[in-house]
Amino acid sequence: MFKDWKKITIGTVTAATILGSALLMSGTASAETILRFSHTDNPGGSRQAAAEVFAAKVSEYTEGRYKVRIYPAGQLANDPKAIEQLQLGGVDFTVSATGSYATHMPTLNLTAMPFLVDSYEQGWELYDNSAWLKGEFDKLPEKGFRVLSTWEAGFRSFTTTSPLNSPKDAEGQKMRVYPNDMIRWTMEAIGFQTVVMPITDVYLSIQQGVVNGQENPVDTIKSLRFYEVAPYITLTRHVYSPLPLTISEQTWQKLSEEDRKAIKKAAKESSEFSRKLVRDSVDSQIEEMKAAGATVVAPEIGPFREAVKSVYAKAKDIYGDDVAKILADAEAIRTKFPTQ
């Protein structure tokens, strides 16, 4: 279905002329209403590719009533600011790690618990069918935005300026984290000092020695070229980190029922595209980074799993019964989709 995605360009998606300020009207839209989509991935990354698919599908399924204009690479905002802009109606769509939304729904921190799932299939089942997670997502419209579908980013791993073969190597090292308690607790449990900063500042901060590394999925590491300044890639896969695609609730409430269905259909199909693209690209991305000079290792995971056990206890102290609920869903999913 998406074999020609590379032919889709931002120019194609945004070629429509903006008529005046193109305001949404209650239940209807002008012939070419522009919707703004902000994300922090580079133009050559998977988020941009999926955004182009989404934009094309929105235009197709709304018969041209809506055109999605994409702003990549943090042009409009970093991830936390883009979510704030969703709430204010300043942007219409964004896509970010689930933990980024936890500022507004703290229980979503629990999706970033370390080693919660072990495979893409398990992760997809969690995000598509976990009763607990569906319930949490259903609360988001009252926060000013709602989840349309979930795009893929993959499992988080490390890029550092020196080798990271075990938690012992983390001692005295500064690790960039985004504003998420679970990620911060996990990094500190491993042994890092943590520094919170937007992803758009990370490359230069590593280059200048402000931090010694960062952790993100392989797709993000490759897209944002972190391996250039932190050439030791350690494949811990410590957190599954997909990307909910969200729409401003202000925008959603102004859509007709027909256009809501069209946008949800576009969101679902762009999710399918994103998941296949990211899953199928990981091995080649690793090889490309190795060819560019990166050192890639798959360490013994046992010491890392042992180091982060305290994170679960801390989560239970703060989130109580919610921890048991998501862990029960994850255990059932691991049983249903066992890894080899």
Side-chain angles (χ1 to χ4, degrees), residues 210-333:
V210 176
V211 293
N212 303 108
Q214 63 84 50
E215 49 84 49
N216 257 301
V218 166
D219 184 75
T220 304
I221 292 168
K222 174 68 166 57
S223 171
L224 298 183
R225 309 179 75 87
F226 291 140
Y227 62 93
E228 294 179 343
V229 288
Y232 293 92
I233 302 173
T234 307
L235 300 174
T236 48
R237 293 166 53 94
H238 50 272
V239 171
Y240 178 60
S241 188
L243 307 164
L245 168 65
T246 47
I247 183 172
S248 167
E249 187 65 12
Q250 291 188 34
T251 304
W252 182 259
Q253 291 302 327
K254 294 172 183 175
L255 295 171
S256 68
E257 188 61 33
E258 179 184 4
D259 289 330
R260 288 179 181 180
K261 290 179 180 178
I263 287 174
K264 287 183 72 173
K265 183 179 180 182
K268 182 178 184 297
E269 292 184 6
S270 63
S271 172
E272 293 167 355
F273 168 84
S274 172
R275 286 175 170 178
K276 186 177 189 306
L277 174 64
V278 172
R279 182 193 60 189
D280 294 351
S281 299
V282 169
D283 290 345
S284 63
Q285 288 173 333
I286 289 172
E287 290 304 314
E288 287 177 32
M289 290 189 287
K290 287 168 66 175
T295 298
V296 181
V297 298
E300 183 183 350
I301 295 299
F304 289 94
R305 286 184 181 270
E306 186 66 25
V308 301
K309 282 184 177 179
S310 62
V311 175
Y312 287 82
K314 187 174 289 190
K316 290 176 183 177
D317 287 342
I318 293 177
Y319 297 104
D321 291 343
D322 284 309
V323 176
K325 291 175 183 177
I326 189 173
L327 289 180
D329 282 356
E331 177 60 29
I333 287 165

Side-chain angles (χ1 to χ4, degrees), residues 47-259:
R47 262 177 271 185
Q48 177 65 19
E52 291 169 359
V53 169
F54 175 68
K57 294 297 182 181
V58 167
S59 179
E60 176 185 350
Y61 296 148
T62 65
E63 298 179 336
R65 293 188 294 276
Y66 290 96
K67 305 291 183 181
V68 176
R69 172 172 288 172
I70 307 166
Y71 296 86
Q75 290 177 19
L76 295 185
N78 60 36
D79 288 310
K81 292 296 184 183
I83 295 168
E84 290 177 9
Q85 285 299 308
L86 280 184
Q87 295 175 301
L88 298 171
V91 300
D92 302 289
F93 305 103
T94 196
V95 62
S96 185
T98 317
S100 297
Y101 299 99
T103 301
H104 310 283
M105 178 66 70
T107 49
L108 292 181
N109 274 310
L110 297 178
T111 63
M113 283 194 291
F115 303 108
L116 191 63
V117 296
D118 301 315
S119 70
Y120 286 105
E121 290 74 18
Q122 291 175 6
W124 298 341
E125 182 72 9
L126 179 72
Y127 273 76
D128 291 346
N129 294 312
S130 162
W132 177 84
L133 189 52
K134 281 185 175 182
E136 299 309 290
F137 280 171
D138 286 345
K139 299 173 187 176
L140 289 176
E142 64 190 46
K143 304 295 182 181
F145 51 90
R146 65 174 59 216
V147 174
L148 294 173
S149 68
T150 303
W151 290 4
E152 191 56 83
F155 289 82
R156 303 181 81 87
S157 289
F158 292 102
T159 48
T160 50
T161 54
S162 59
L164 178 66
N165 296 313
S166 73
K168 184 175 177 58
D169 294 329
E171 295 176 8
Q173 301 293 302
K174 294 181 179 179
M175 176 61 54
R176 174 267 174 179
V177 296
Y178 66 96
N180 178 271
D181 286 343
M182 201 65 60
I183 294 292
R184 179 171 56 82
W185 296 344
T186 298
M187 297 302 102
E188 291 171 354
I190 290 171
F192 290 106
Q193 300 174 38
T194 56
V195 180
V196 177
M197 69 174 63
I199 197 168
T200 46
D201 295 344
V202 173
Y203 187 102
L204 186 61
S205 294
I206 296 175
Q207 194 172 47
Q208 295 178 340
V210 176
V211 293
N212 303 108
Q214 63 84 50
E215 49 84 49
N216 257 301
V218 166
D219 184 75
T220 304
I221 292 168
K222 174 68 166 57
S223 171
L224 298 183
R225 309 179 75 87
F226 291 140
Y227 62 93
E228 294 179 343
V229 288
Y232 293 92
I233 302 173
T234 307
L235 300 174
T236 48
R237 293 166 53 94
H238 50 272
V239 171
Y240 178 60
S241 188
L243 307 164
L245 168 65
T246 47
I247 183 172
S248 167
E249 187 65 12
Q250 291 188 34
T251 304
W252 182 259
Q253 291 302 327
K254 294 172 183 175
L255 295 171
S256 68
E257 188 61 33
E258 179 184 4
D259 289 330

